[in-house]
Amino acid sequence: MTSTSSRFGLSAQTALPTILAIAFAATLTSTGPSLAQSSTVETIKSETRKLIAPITSKTDERLEEVAKFDHQVTGVTVSEDNRIFVNSPRWSEDVPVSVAEVMRDGTIKPYPNDEWNAWRNARMSEVTPGDHFVSVQSVVADGKGSLWVVDPAAPNTEKTVKDGPKLVQIDLKTNSVKKVYPFAADVAGPASYMNDVRLSPDGKFAYLTDSGVPGGLVVVDLNAGKAWRVLSDDATTQMEKDAVVMTDGKPLKRPDGRQPMFNADGLALSNDGATLYWQAVTAKTMYRIDASLLQQAGTNPDAAKGKAEKFATTEPVDGLWTGKDDSIYLSAVGADAVKLLKQDRKIETVLTDSRLRWPDTFSQGPDGFIYVTASHIQDSPWFHPSGWANKDFTLFRFRPE
């Protein structure tokens, strides 16, 4: 493990006054003195972060950079033949590509084609939401020849676009959409936000989290094409009021003082498909349930009621990933870290790296590497009105020990 804290032969304390002066000068040069005061402050903060990063950052040589992107990337997945796919949500901008394949040279290619990526918010009256990606949140390859795309269809995480929420199956051999599973209003309501997905090993069911309002789980019978909500508005799928999302050593807040309030988000499925784990981002508790109860809820709505159990006390995390021994990798957003939750409930830190600003989603490829995105949510316009404070959107990978 390496650190760059002393690379320039001076400490952050002694360098900071000079750096602040340089940042202020850079700000006036690039923006002009007429910039509004709030915008100026945000810009100075941004410039300062860039300048002091080489002095204060901590890096881990095991974390390898795979690709960089011009727009925010949240999800990543690696297929059985080592193809890499990512997605960009429409949170703060009308992105040009929702789902992309990362090519060997690091460039991206709209996937499965340009037409599925043709949605633009400005053209929403012209483009049909049912057969276009509206605002994609995650992508998952099932290892059996399909790529699954979760489209909550809620630009800026606001009201869902009518007929937009869906789960899309793409055939990786033909690079064409195989089937679309639309979510009716009773499954994905106007304030819902479908987030992550896991597929049962037998290929019969898909499990999703809804981090919108109300939070909950969604199950899809892939053969019948039927979907239903489970544990909707249940305490186990909601944010925890006493949980505080910390980034850069302080509570993460919007300009008006609001803290992020994300309900059920990360998902992990045991290797045998018997147990589903989940957690809200704004929470410190991970829950689990017998997956068969979620399946039974399709005909018996009360099958899973009261059956979820607390699995572990954690911290605010986003992405989850099941390791080979059913340990669960955690994206520790407040620590710029990847952690590992063992089945004995003990948590250990795998790596910490300042480049992992909001580690978001995991995927493990056939090469053994675990891939992880840095989505920079704390640097987004949600928390910085003048614009992105840091746009180093990067895909990394590391080899688990």
Side-chain angles (χ1 to χ4, degrees), residues 176-188:
S176 60
V177 172
K178 185 175 182 179
K179 191 168 184 178
V180 176
Y181 297 86
F183 294 125
D186 62 336
V187 174

Side-chain angles (χ1 to χ4, degrees), residues 237-317:
T237 58
Q238 311 303 300
M239 62 160 286
E240 298 172 358
K241 294 181 179 179
D242 62 341
V244 178
V245 178
M246 303 284 291
T247 59
D248 300 318
K250 60 182 182 296
L252 181 62
K253 295 182 180 181
R254 296 197 179 195
D256 61 3
R258 286 181 297 161
Q259 294 190 33
M261 298 180 289
F262 303 122
N263 290 324
D265 191 306
L267 268 180
L269 186 64
S270 61
N271 288 297
D272 61 5
T275 307
L276 188 73
Y277 303 83
W278 71 92
Q279 181 175 329
V281 173
T282 313
K284 299 176 291 184
T285 309
M286 183 181 295
Y287 294 92
R288 69 178 180 182
I289 196 170
D290 188 329
S292 65
L293 296 174
L294 302 176
Q295 299 170 11
Q296 295 169 25
T299 54
N300 176 12
D302 294 328
K305 189 174 182 180
K307 301 296 177 61
E309 63 176 0
K310 176 181 176 179
F311 175 62
T313 298
T314 58
E315 62 188 276
V317 300

Side-chain angles (χ1 to χ4, degrees), residues 311-333:
F311 175 62
T313 298
T314 58
E315 62 188 276
V317 300
D318 194 329
L320 308 178
W321 183 259
T322 307
K324 292 182 178 179
D325 61 351
D326 276 343
S327 294
I328 300 175
Y329 288 89
L330 314 173
S331 65
V333 298

